[in-house]
Amino acid sequence: MLSILWGASQPLAPAEVRDAVAGDLAYTTVMTILGRLYDKGAVRRERRGRAYAYTAVLDEPGLAAAKMWASVDGHRDREAVLARFVDGLSDDDERLLRSVLASGADELRESRPH
């Protein structure tokens, strides 16, 4: 559903999302999924008549980062989680992470979900 919202030029109502989804999803299923995406901060909603219209807030990298952050944030031993993550990186990914941390750590902290 996020891919549909990413491709939309304006906020979409659940019925519009349902119509764009391949397959035959029930309206209530689409509403449930959009509600969960809203609760996770992946979409924004605004009133449109009696319903809401939804817009994607996070792009694909932002969504992946939010999932990673939720895993770290929800664990009592954050240091161990981060250490294991870094230990599993390839040399190229470790260099990339070091570069990102050195060049954009402040900017990244500002955009991180809280």
Side-chain angles (χ1 to χ4, degrees), residues 16-34:
E16 295 169 314
V17 174
R18 184 195 61 210
D19 292 345
V21 171
D24 191 24
L25 286 180
Y27 180 81
T28 54
T29 302
V30 173
M31 290 274 301
T32 299
I33 294 169
L34 290 171

Side-chain angles (χ1 to χ4, degrees), residues 3-78:
S3 61
I4 292 165
L5 294 175
W6 288 326
S9 61
Q10 63 183 14
L12 298 178
E16 295 169 314
V17 174
R18 184 195 61 210
D19 292 345
V21 171
D24 191 24
L25 286 180
Y27 180 81
T28 54
T29 302
V30 173
M31 290 274 301
T32 299
I33 294 169
L34 290 171
R36 289 180 181 164
L37 289 170
Y38 175 78
D39 291 342
K40 293 179 180 184
V43 298
R44 179 178 56 242
R45 67 184 184 190
E46 59 189 57
R47 275 278 180 204
R48 186 193 289 169
R50 295 184 327 180
Y52 287 106
Y54 294 85
T55 304
V57 173
L58 299 174
D59 58 7
E60 286 186 80
L63 185 60
K67 288 178 185 178
M68 292 168 61
W69 178 247
S71 294
V72 171
D73 196 40
H75 200 279
R76 61 182 167 79
D77 191 355
R78 295 162 60 119

